[in-house]
Amino acid sequence: MKEAGLTRMNFSLDSMSQSGFQKLSDRNKPVSQILEQISEAKSIGLEVKINSTILRGFNESEILDLLEWSGKRSIPIRFL
């Protein structure tokens, strides 16, 4: 896709845990696969941004984990 002109990608990552990710995204994909795809997009030079929906009583305890993971990779994260 980069060769076709893609320069940036947005990813939705609402949880670092598999159970939380499945509940919020309604996808049966392993969260580890999403994390790998985000890292891969960054490594090939795409501008990457993460959007994360935070719900009180559900995943607000993961905010620091999400910030730490994205911060170590210099990936901006937006909490919705």
Side-chain angles (χ1 to χ4, degrees):
M1 289 189 277
K2 185 177 179 181
E3 291 174 8
L6 184 69
T7 60
R8 66 183 81 149
M9 290 184 75
N10 290 341
F11 290 88
S12 179
L13 181 64
D14 303 318
S15 177
M16 298 291 287
S17 74
Q18 186 61 42
S19 62
F21 178 76
Q22 283 180 319
K23 286 179 185 176
L24 285 169
S25 68
D26 198 30
R27 290 188 279 176
N28 206 17
K29 185 182 256 190
V31 71
S32 60
Q33 188 176 11
I34 299 297
L35 297 174
E36 289 172 18
Q37 290 172 342
I38 294 170
S39 294
E40 184 177 341
K42 178 88 173 160
S43 73
I44 63 170
L46 294 177
E47 183 182 327
V48 175
K49 183 176 78 173
I50 297 172
N51 294 317
S52 184
T53 300
I54 303 299
L55 301 173
R56 184 177 300 178
F58 186 75
N59 66 339
E60 76 269 16
S61 64
E62 294 191 61
I63 291 173
L64 293 179
D65 292 336
L66 289 161
L67 279 171
E68 182 179 338
W69 191 88
S70 63
K72 284 182 179 178
R73 290 153 182 82
S74 300
I75 300 172
I77 186 167
R78 180 173 63 164
F79 293 105
L80 311 171

